[in-house]
């Protein structure tokens, strides 16, 4: 009888397992279909932005007949690009999050926290979908000045994007979670939200203590649990506004729209695409090849080449991931042949990522300009020398480590070979100067100049290097939309959080504290360096800037620090945090691009981080390095 009773249980278990497998298979197919449906218009939007901005340049500079509606149309398309890009990033699981802590856990615990992170993201999307619809509906009463259409055409991107992410979130939960983990994670997230709602009467009288609860404890817990940063910021802000203030829910959508709608941020997707383009056309390989022929016979020579190549490529792409992806595959094989250890390679690659954060056209500099009002052109000018100061520090460490390297087996390049490599690299090395000249001479704005770089790179790839793959173009456009959407959603969510912090009076309290610090400017800059090293490791560069830039830059002016000098100190300190293990996300990006285990680079990177810190202190102590050419 026991055997007879047991068989149906086995059959029932197998049936349940088969049913779950079938549901997951259906969810995976639906997720792929959603990806295709969203990717095509997102790719077309990237192309449309390039065309519209290029037309604006030609109309204004060539025909002296500005297209008055170009910027307005670009702004409308930009919000749609940002939201559809966010959907692609969500569908692919590419939204930025900190995985350093959960990466140390056992596989079962890590898998469960992935489900919790997806459930938390779903909760945020559910909470804001209706306010997003209300916001778009209210915009029907606003007419755009140039195109004279209702602003709902633009604002509709928010509810549509959030709705599509909502679908993607449900599909992700079905794909990655078993029934038990799914129910447990949903119950956990719902339980925490319900508890906060129940204790809301207790929270309101606490005043600014709620900032600690929502924006330190709750955000910190979500970030450490690998909830995507944008959704952690958003969920905490919604909770803070709904439970401790009388502000309507639609406010957070308005602040997100404001944060994502700065036209200067349009440079983000365009420079991301430019970075991918220079790698595909062979321009990056040409530059690195010339530097290798020049210094390959010197002790540690290719390490110097790596530092120099990252400096040059950063001046083109503006995206650190694109920079590292362009340089590492070209240099690392030869460096490994010469005996370089993998750990040292990835350590130096990560360190150069931090070193080149100020090289124009850095996305972080563009973000600083957009949220603080500092001149983008001034930031671009001021960012060149600080990168060189840090490069000297890194090269000093390279010299010390490789001063006894055996180069008896290395053949020195002849003058003819160097000359040939130089001639080949000239079109590629000219690009940073073309971009800078276009901005300085007034041909294009900081937003538009990327399109000049794109056109230049396409023509160079087609006519000179003959390395232009039309098949790779569509995946590159989709990747551009995905990465840009992930970045811009963080900016939108962080803008909402920054607004909540400002409205609470926190900014005034922070200003009072910072201005009251003893020691004047030196102490203020020292505290800034420590704070942004920590913030860079936890929040990454762009969200940290969006959150704290509007608060701290006015204070810097009050204590007598030039805004460009302060921007360089902030960016360099933040870059160190971003690329320093164990929490720096940039370090793990370098490891992923290099295909090197993160453990191997932990020890070698210590010396490089020390050099970066010394260089940052030098930049902080000598304002002329940042402002001498303004």
């Amino acid at each position: 009888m026991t055997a007879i009773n047991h068989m149906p249980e086995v059959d029932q278990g197998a049936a349940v397992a088969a049913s779950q497998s079938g549901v997951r298979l259906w969810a995976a197919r639906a997720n792929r279909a959603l990806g295709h449906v969203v990717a095509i218009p997102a790719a077309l939007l990237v192309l449309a932005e390039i065309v519209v901005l290029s037309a604006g340049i030609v109309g204004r500079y060539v025909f002296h007949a500005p297209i008055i509606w170009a910027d307005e149309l670009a702004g409308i398309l930009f919000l749609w690009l940002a939201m559809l890009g966010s959907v692609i990033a969500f569908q692919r699981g590419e939204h930025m999050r900190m995985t350093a802590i959960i990466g140390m856990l056992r596989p079962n615990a890590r898998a469960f926290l992935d489900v919790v992170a997806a459930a938390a993201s779903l909760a945020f999307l559910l909470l804001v979908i209706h306010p997003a619809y209300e916001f778009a509906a209210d915009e029907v009463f606003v007419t755009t000045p140039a195109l004279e259409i209702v602003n709902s055409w633009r604002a509709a991107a928010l509810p549509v994007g959030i709705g599509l992410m909502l679908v993607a979130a449900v599909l992700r939960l079905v794909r990655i979670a078993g029934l038990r983990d799914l129910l447990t994670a949903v119950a956990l997230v719902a339980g925490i939200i319900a508890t906060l709602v129940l204790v809301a009467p207790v929270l309101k009288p606490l005043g600014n203590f709620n900032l600690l609860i929502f924006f330190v404890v709750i955000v910190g817990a979500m970030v450490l649990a690998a909830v995507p940063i944008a959704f952690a910021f958003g969920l905490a802000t919604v909770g803070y506004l709904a439970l401790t203030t009388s502000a309507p829910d639609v406010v957070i959508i308005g602040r997100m729209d404001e944060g994502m709608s700065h036209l200067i941020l349009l440079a983000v997707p365009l420079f991301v695409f430019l970075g991918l383009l220079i790698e595909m056309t062979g321009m990056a390989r040409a530059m690195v090849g010339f530097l290798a022929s020049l210094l390959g016979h010197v002790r540690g020579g290719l390490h110097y080449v790596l530092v120099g190549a990252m400096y040059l490529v950063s001046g083109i792409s503006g995206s650190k991931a694109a920079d590292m992806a362009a340089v590492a595959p070209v240099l690392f094989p030869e460096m490994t042949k010469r005996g370089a250890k993998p750990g040292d390679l990835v350590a130096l690659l990560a360190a150069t990522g931090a070193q080149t954060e100020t090289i124009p056209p850095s996305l972080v500099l563009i973000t600083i300009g957009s949220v603080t009002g500092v001149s983008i052109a001034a930031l671009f000018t001021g960012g060149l020398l600080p990168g060189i100061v840090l490069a000297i520090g890194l090269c000093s460490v390279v010299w010390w480590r490789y001063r006894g390297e055996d180069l008896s087996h290395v053949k020195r390049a002849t003058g003819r070979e160097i000359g040939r490599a130089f001639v080949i690299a000239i079109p590629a090395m000219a690009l940073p100067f073309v971009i800078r000249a276009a901005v300085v001479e007034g041909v294009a704005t900081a937003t538009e100049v990327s399109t000049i770089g794109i056109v230049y790179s396409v023509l160079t790839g087609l006519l000179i290097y003959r390395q232009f793959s039309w098949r790779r173009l569509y995946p590159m456009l989709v990747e551009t939309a995905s990465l840009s959407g992930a970045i811009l959603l963080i900016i939108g969510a962080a803008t909402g959080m920054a607004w909540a912090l400002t409205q609470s009076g926190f900014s005034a309290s922070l200003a009072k504290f910072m201005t009251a610090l003893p020691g004047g400017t030196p102490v203020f800059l020292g505290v800034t360096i420590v704070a942004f090293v920590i913030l860079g490791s936890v929040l990454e560069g762009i969200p940290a800037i969006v959150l704290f830039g509007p608060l701290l830059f006015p204070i810097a002016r009050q204590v007598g620090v030039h805004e460009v000098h302060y921007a360089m100190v902030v960016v360099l300190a933040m870059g160190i945090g971003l690329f320093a293990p164990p929490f720096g996300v940039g370090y793990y990006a370098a490891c992923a691009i290099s295909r090197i285990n993160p453990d191997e680079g932990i020890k070698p990177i210590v010396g490089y981080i020390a050099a970066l810190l010394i260089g940052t202190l030098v930049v902080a102590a000598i304002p002329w390095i940042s402002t001498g050419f303004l």
Side-chain angles (χ1 to χ4, degrees):
M1 284 296 292
T2 303
I4 294 173
N5 289 334
H6 184 64
M7 288 299 291
E9 294 176 4
V10 174
D11 293 340
Q12 186 178 10
V16 171
S19 175
Q20 289 183 355
S21 177
V23 171
R24 288 183 179 180
L25 181 61
W26 172 86
R29 290 175 177 170
N31 186 62
R32 284 195 296 271
L34 176 65
H36 291 307
V37 168
V38 178
I40 293 173
L44 291 175
L45 283 169
V46 176
L47 282 177
E49 293 287 20
I50 296 170
V51 171
V52 170
L53 291 180
S54 299
I57 296 173
V58 173
R60 183 182 64 252
Y61 190 76
V62 177
F63 297 107
H64 304 289
I67 303 174
I68 59 173
W69 47 262
D71 283 352
E72 189 172 288
L73 178 59
I76 294 172
L77 299 179
F78 180 46
L79 187 59
W80 279 96
L81 172 60
M83 293 309 298
L84 293 184
S86 298
V87 177
I88 298 171
F90 198 105
Q91 179 258 341
R92 294 180 169 188
E94 293 177 353
H95 274 285
M96 299 178 190
R97 58 184 192 146
M98 195 182 83
T99 58
I101 300 299
I102 70 167
M104 303 175 186
L105 303 177
R106 294 180 178 179
N108 288 343
R110 190 162 61 243
F112 177 69
L113 284 178
D114 278 340
V115 181
V116 172
S121 302
L122 177 64
F124 168 70
L125 295 168
L126 285 171
L127 289 170
V128 297
I129 182 67
H130 183 67
Y133 169 77
E134 286 186 329
F135 178 80
D138 290 341
E139 291 296 297
V140 75
F141 300 106
V142 179
T143 302
T144 62
L147 294 174
E148 297 184 348
I149 60 175
V150 294
N151 203 42
S152 290
W153 284 105
R154 186 189 68 85
L158 291 160
V160 170
I162 291 170
L164 290 172
M165 277 190 279
L166 197 57
V167 175
V170 172
L171 294 175
R172 178 170 177 79
L173 278 172
V174 174
R175 285 186 296 116
I176 68 173
L179 184 60
R180 181 178 178 181
D181 282 353
L182 174 61
L183 294 176
T184 305
V186 170
L188 177 63
V189 172
I192 293 173
I193 293 174
T195 301
L196 289 172
V197 171
L198 290 174
V199 300
V202 179
L203 293 175
K204 285 188 177 181
L206 296 180
N208 280 350
F209 188 72
N210 285 310
L211 299 177
L212 180 65
I213 295 173
F214 284 91
F215 299 135
V216 177
V217 176
I218 294 179
V219 168
M222 286 193 287
V223 169
L224 292 176
V227 175
I229 291 173
F231 297 93
F233 285 1
L235 196 53
T237 306
V238 169
Y240 172 77
L241 292 177
L243 301 178
T244 68
T245 74
S246 57
D249 293 342
V250 75
V251 166
I252 188 173
I253 301 298
R255 299 288 76 77
M256 287 178 64
D257 175 49
E258 179 184 339
M260 298 168 70
S261 295
H262 287 292
L263 195 59
I264 189 65
L265 290 177
L266 185 51
V268 172
L270 299 182
F271 275 118
V272 168
F273 181 66
L274 179 57
L276 297 172
L277 199 58
I278 65 162
E279 187 276 328
M280 184 259 278
T281 56
M283 295 173 67
R285 183 177 295 273
M287 284 187 289
V288 172
F290 166 65
L291 293 172
S293 69
L294 203 62
L295 296 172
H297 63 283
V298 179
R299 287 187 174 90
L302 291 185
H303 292 73
Y304 299 131
V305 170
L306 177 58
V307 175
M310 282 293 289
Y311 188 96
L312 285 176
V313 174
S314 292
I316 299 174
S317 72
S319 165
K320 286 294 155 284
D323 301 341
M324 293 187 291
V327 172
V330 179
L331 276 179
F332 279 16
E334 182 63 27
M335 295 172 79
T336 303
K337 288 180 185 177
R338 298 188 181 199
K341 296 180 180 178
D344 192 47
L345 294 181
V346 75
L348 183 57
L349 182 65
T352 55
Q355 168 232 332
T356 55
E357 281 284 81
T358 65
I359 309 302
S362 164
L363 298 184
V364 179
L365 293 183
I366 293 170
T367 304
I368 286 178
S370 69
V371 301
T372 65
V374 180
S375 165
I376 300 290
L379 290 171
F380 280 9
T381 302
L384 294 170
L385 280 185
I388 292 177
V389 171
L390 268 63
I392 292 171
L394 294 179
C395 289
S396 300
V397 177
V398 169
W399 173 83
W400 177 259
R401 287 184 175 176
Y402 288 89
R403 64 192 185 280
E405 184 182 14
D406 179 17
L407 294 178
S408 58
H409 61 288
V410 177
K411 180 182 177 182
R412 181 170 184 166
T414 65
R416 185 174 182 177
E417 288 172 338
I418 294 174
R420 182 174 181 273
F422 174 69
V423 171
I424 293 173
I426 286 176
M429 292 192 298
L431 180 53
F433 300 99
V434 170
I435 288 177
R436 172 150 178 75
V439 175
V440 172
E441 297 300 324
V443 177
T445 66
T447 304
E448 297 169 335
V449 72
S450 52
T451 62
I452 292 179
I454 289 169
V455 172
Y456 179 91
S457 300
V458 170
L459 294 176
T460 302
L462 287 171
L463 303 178
I464 299 176
Y465 292 114
R466 305 292 179 89
Q467 293 184 35
F468 194 93
S469 173
W470 293 100
R471 290 183 178 180
R472 290 181 59 186
L473 196 57
Y474 173 71
M476 285 166 52
L477 291 168
V478 175
E479 185 176 347
T480 297
S482 176
L483 179 57
S484 303
I487 292 172
L488 293 166
L489 190 64
I490 287 178
I491 292 177
T495 301
M497 186 188 293
W499 180 85
L501 289 170
T502 302
Q503 294 301 308
S504 69
F506 172 76
S507 57
S509 301
L510 180 64
K512 186 177 180 181
F513 169 76
M514 296 289 277
T515 52
L517 286 171
T521 299
V523 173
F524 175 73
L525 290 175
V527 171
T528 294
I529 291 172
V530 173
F532 274 94
V533 167
I534 296 172
L535 289 171
S537 65
V538 176
L539 296 180
E540 298 190 59
I542 289 176
I545 283 296
V546 175
L547 273 177
F548 294 98
L551 304 180
L552 294 180
F553 272 74
I555 303 172
R557 296 188 193 101
Q558 290 180 28
V559 300
V561 180
H562 193 285
E563 54 192 10
V564 173
H565 177 212
Y566 189 63
M568 296 308 132
V569 173
V570 165
V571 172
L572 292 177
M574 197 168 51
I576 293 172
L578 177 61
F579 286 91
F583 298 116
V585 178
Y587 173 73
Y588 297 102
C591 292
I593 289 167
S594 309
R595 294 180 173 84
I596 295 173
N597 191 303
D599 296 341
E600 297 188 51
I602 297 291
K603 187 176 179 180
I605 203 173
V606 173
Y608 294 128
I609 293 297
L612 293 173
L613 283 170
I614 293 171
T616 301
L617 291 174
V618 170
V619 172
I622 307 175
W624 182 89
I625 295 173
S626 304
T627 62
F629 292 101
L630 296 181

